[in-house]
């Protein structure tokens, strides 16, 4: 262990200025000519999907499989973080993990994606002549793939092992560049161009992936408030919603992981569980349960086929590759966050929580929300799909709630959960950016608040330009996922190697 472990790290001004400058440049270029900026982003997006989509699919699959192998061998007993007991209880720990990733997608995509795939069967199964009822399982399975085992594994399994080893066991700064420490050595932390690039692209990517949902939150909640209460769905309303969100996120970021973030996460998971119970009681209970079980079986039976499907590149760019580019962009920073909250956990606990429990819970949530929409769509064609196709994802949630008893109250609950989901992602990612810039897992609260405010300010400016600017930024994370995905390749062989090293140190296996 390094002697300087525990010392406060200094601000990395190069990373701060360049990453912040790139975000500012994006905003300035959008203000000057948002159409041109959108065309550039779309061109980069198409390039990324075409030339890196297959690599991403293999990378995520390999990350998931290698993680499981490590977890269920003796190396799974390795305790991470240089701590004998976990500092966070199971409920709080898993709550923070889940709320950080799902964001607004945990509500609106859960309603919309299964329905989209039900209306238009994914191309892998499109030629099988499925009936309406038979189309349910492919629709759910595709959603399980996009938000399931492989997506979660890339966010915090192998990369987390490498980061926790570098920071908590060796005492080096907790930065994205630490992923390369086992290859490059200590020099990666000292005026390293490669190290700076690793930090910068990780920050820009996660900023794009966080600002996008903030902007869409304003649009989504604005639609919901108009639908429920008749409040005008104007730009001013959307901006006020974002301001309220950023205030919540800033307060949470200021109080830190041990207070604000964990409190919001626990509350949101509790509210989500209540919504699930009500939807199971008031909605199509057996349809949800039966199709969740059958959908998981269908997904696992077709696991490799659906994970490695390459038949329609354009369709993949709209769905699987798009989502996985998004998750890859979050990868290093989510791993930093999970590293910080997972001290004292074993590798087996980490992998099971991130790569198995969280995906299964996500799949069930998608079945409850999206499956309910499919049920009512089968029962009355157009009851949900019409709203989805005419007004987008927020309308799908409201249309589903309209079919349920106490739908008005349920819709309010969904809006509240959505706001808290995005708030927990915003404050968590503000925290990780502050960590990446300082290398300290307890960064100054002013830096954390600054980045939360920065995310909100950029979202407001882009929203004032037009919804297309928010969409362009959302697509930009897929472009930035290209260099980030290269950074996430080494953990495939580094994590097993470091797991063995720690197993030897902890006396779990003998040194040969």
């Amino acid at each position: 262990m390094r002697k300087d472990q525990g010392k406060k790290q200094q601000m990395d001004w190069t990373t701060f200025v360049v990453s912040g400058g790139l975000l500012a440049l994006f905003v300035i270029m959008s203000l000057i000519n948002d159409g041109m900026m959108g065309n550039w982003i779309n061109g980069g997006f198409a390039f990324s999907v075409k030339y890196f989509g297959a690599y991403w699919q293999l990378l995520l699959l390999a990350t998931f499989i290698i993680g499981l192998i490590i977890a269920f061998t003796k190396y799974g007993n390795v305790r991470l973080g240089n701590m004998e007991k976990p500092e966070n209880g199971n409920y709080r720990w898993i709550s923070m993990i889940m709320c950080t990733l799902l964001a607004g997608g945990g509500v609106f995509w859960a309603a919309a994606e299964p329905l989209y795939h039900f209306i238009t069967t994914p191309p892998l199964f499109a030629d099988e002549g499925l009936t309406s009822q038979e189309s349910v399982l492919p629709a759910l399975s595709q959603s399980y793939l996009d938000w399931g085992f492989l997506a979660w594994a890339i966010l915090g399994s192998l990369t987390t092992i490498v980061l926790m080893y570098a920071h908590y066991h060796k005492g080096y700064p907790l930065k994205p560049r630490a992923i390369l420490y086992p290859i490059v050595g200590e020099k990666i932390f000292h005026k390293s161009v490669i190290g700076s690039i690793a930090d910068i692209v990780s920050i820009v990517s996660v900023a794009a992936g966080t600002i996008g949902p903030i902007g869409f939150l304003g649009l989504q909640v604005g639609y919901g408030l108009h639908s429920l209460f008749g409040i005008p769905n104007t730009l001013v309303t959307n901006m006020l919603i974002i301001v309220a969100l950023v205030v919540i996120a800033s307060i949470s970021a200021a109080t830190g992981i041990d207070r604000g973030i964990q409190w919001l996460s626990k509350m949101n998971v509790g509210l989500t569980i209540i919504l699930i119970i009500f939807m199971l009681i008031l909605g199509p209970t057996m349809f949800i349960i039966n199709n969740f079980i059958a959908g998981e079986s269908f997904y696992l039976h077709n696991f490799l086929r659906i994970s490695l499907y390459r038949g329609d590149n354009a369709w993949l760019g709209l769905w699987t590759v798009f989502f996985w580019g998004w998750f890859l962009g979050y990868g290093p920073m989510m791993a930093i966050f999970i590293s910080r909250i997972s001290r004292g956990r074993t590798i087996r606990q980490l992998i099971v929580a991130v790569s198995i429990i969280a995906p299964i819970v996500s799949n069930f949530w998608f079945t409850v929300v999206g499956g309910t929409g499919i049920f009512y769509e089968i029962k009355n064609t157009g009851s949900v799909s019409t709203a989805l196709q005419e007004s987008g994802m927020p309308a799908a949630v409201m249309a589903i709630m309209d079919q349920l008893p106490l739908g008005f109250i349920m819709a309010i609950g969904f809006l509240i959960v959505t706001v808290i989901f995005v708030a927990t992602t915003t404050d968590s990612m503000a925290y990780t950016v502050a960590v990446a810039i300082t290398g300290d897992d307890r960064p100054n609260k002013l830096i954390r608040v600054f980045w939360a405010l920065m995310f909100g300010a950029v979202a407001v400016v882009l929203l004032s330009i037009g919804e297309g600017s928010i969409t362009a930024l959302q697509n930009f994370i897929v472009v930035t996922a290209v260099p980030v995905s290269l950074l996430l390749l080494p953990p495939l062989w580094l994590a097993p190697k470091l797991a063995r090293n720690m197993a030897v140190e902890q006396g779990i296996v003998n040194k040969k």
Side-chain angles (χ1 to χ4, degrees), residues 219-248:
L219 300 171
Q220 293 163 350
V221 176
Y223 179 93
L225 293 176
H226 175 72
S227 175
L228 294 173
F229 303 104
I231 296 174
N233 186 17
T234 63
L235 178 62
V236 173
T237 302
N238 297 336
M239 287 182 173
L240 289 174
I241 292 166
I242 293 175
V243 170
L245 168 81
V246 171
V247 169
I248 295 171

Side-chain angles (χ1 to χ4, degrees), residues 225-290:
L225 293 176
H226 175 72
S227 175
L228 294 173
F229 303 104
I231 296 174
N233 186 17
T234 63
L235 178 62
V236 173
T237 302
N238 297 336
M239 287 182 173
L240 289 174
I241 292 166
I242 293 175
V243 170
L245 168 81
V246 171
V247 169
I248 295 171
S250 298
I251 294 172
S252 178
T255 55
I257 284 181
D258 297 327
R259 292 185 181 178
I261 294 176
Q262 64 90 9
W263 184 81
L264 278 180
S265 298
K266 287 199 301 182
M267 181 178 70
N268 208 35
V269 169
L271 289 174
T272 302
I273 291 172
I274 292 172
L275 285 176
I276 288 174
I277 292 171
F278 271 90
M279 290 196 72
L280 284 173
I281 294 172
L282 300 175
T285 309
M286 295 312 301
F287 181 89
I288 292 170
I289 294 173
N290 290 339

Side-chain angles (χ1 to χ4, degrees), residues 59 91 154 161 166 186 215 227 232 330 334 402 427 435 468:
L59 175 61
Y91 178 72
I154 201 65
I161 294 172
E186 186 175 348
S227 175
Y330 266 89
M334 270 293 294
D402 284 342
D427 60 13
V435 171

Side-chain angles (χ1 to χ4, degrees), residues 3-230:
K3 292 181 180 179
D4 60 344
Q5 184 176 14
K7 290 185 178 181
K8 293 291 183 182
Q9 304 291 332
Q10 295 182 346
M11 172 81 81
D12 185 340
W13 287 104
T14 299
T15 300
F16 176 80
V17 171
V18 175
S19 58
L22 288 172
L23 287 175
L25 181 62
F26 184 96
V27 173
I28 292 170
M29 293 296 293
S30 297
L31 286 167
I32 295 173
N33 191 331
D34 61 319
M36 178 186 69
M37 195 66 188
N39 289 334
W40 287 356
I41 296 299
N42 290 336
F45 176 86
F47 175 87
S48 304
V49 169
K50 181 177 180 179
Y51 293 103
F52 286 86
Y55 162 61
W56 292 350
Q57 287 176 273
L58 291 171
L59 175 61
L60 267 71
L61 180 62
T63 299
F64 175 66
I65 292 173
I66 292 172
L68 291 184
I69 293 172
I70 297 174
F72 293 102
T73 60
K74 289 183 179 179
Y75 302 151
N77 296 320
V78 168
R79 198 163 291 278
L80 297 165
N82 222 9
M83 185 175 285
E84 290 300 318
K85 294 182 179 180
E87 57 183 349
N88 291 301
N90 291 332
Y91 178 72
R92 181 167 70 172
W93 179 51
I94 294 177
S95 295
M96 286 191 284
I97 291 173
M98 296 210 61
C99 288
T100 301
L101 170 69
L102 284 177
V107 175
F108 290 99
W109 280 113
E113 184 172 358
L115 197 59
Y116 274 126
H117 296 315
F118 175 74
I119 296 169
T120 305
T121 303
L124 179 60
F125 306 102
D127 296 330
E128 296 185 5
L130 303 176
T131 65
S132 178
Q133 183 61 46
E134 290 170 340
S135 298
V136 175
L137 298 186
L140 292 174
S141 296
Q142 186 62 50
S143 302
Y144 295 168
L145 174 74
D146 293 344
W147 294 79
F149 299 117
L150 308 191
W152 278 95
I154 201 65
L155 290 166
S157 56
L158 301 185
T159 310
T160 300
I161 294 172
V162 177
L163 286 175
M164 293 188 78
Y165 175 82
H167 182 63
Y168 293 112
H169 294 262
K170 293 299 179 181
Y172 291 103
L174 187 58
K175 298 184 175 187
R177 68 177 70 191
I179 298 170
L180 301 175
Y181 157 69
I183 300 175
V184 181
E186 186 175 348
K187 63 183 179 181
I188 195 69
F189 299 103
H190 303 297
K191 296 182 180 179
S192 166
V193 174
I194 294 176
S196 294
I197 292 173
D199 292 346
I200 290 166
V201 297
S202 297
I203 291 172
V204 171
S205 186
V206 83
T210 304
I211 294 167
I214 293 174
F216 280 120
L217 176 83
L219 300 171
Q220 293 163 350
V221 176
Y223 179 93
L225 293 176
H226 175 72
S227 175
L228 294 173
F229 303 104

Side-chain angles (χ1 to χ4, degrees), residues 15 122 171 285 298 318 373 419 424 460 486:
T15 300
T285 309
F298 186 91
L318 292 173
V419 171
T424 52
V460 167
L486 300 177

Side-chain angles (χ1 to χ4, degrees), residues 435-458:
V435 171
I437 290 173
T438 63
D440 185 357
D441 66 0
R442 296 182 183 273
N444 186 286
K445 68 180 179 180
L446 292 178
I447 302 175
R448 303 195 300 265
V449 171
F450 169 81
W451 280 99
L453 294 173
M454 170 72 83
F455 292 159
V458 173

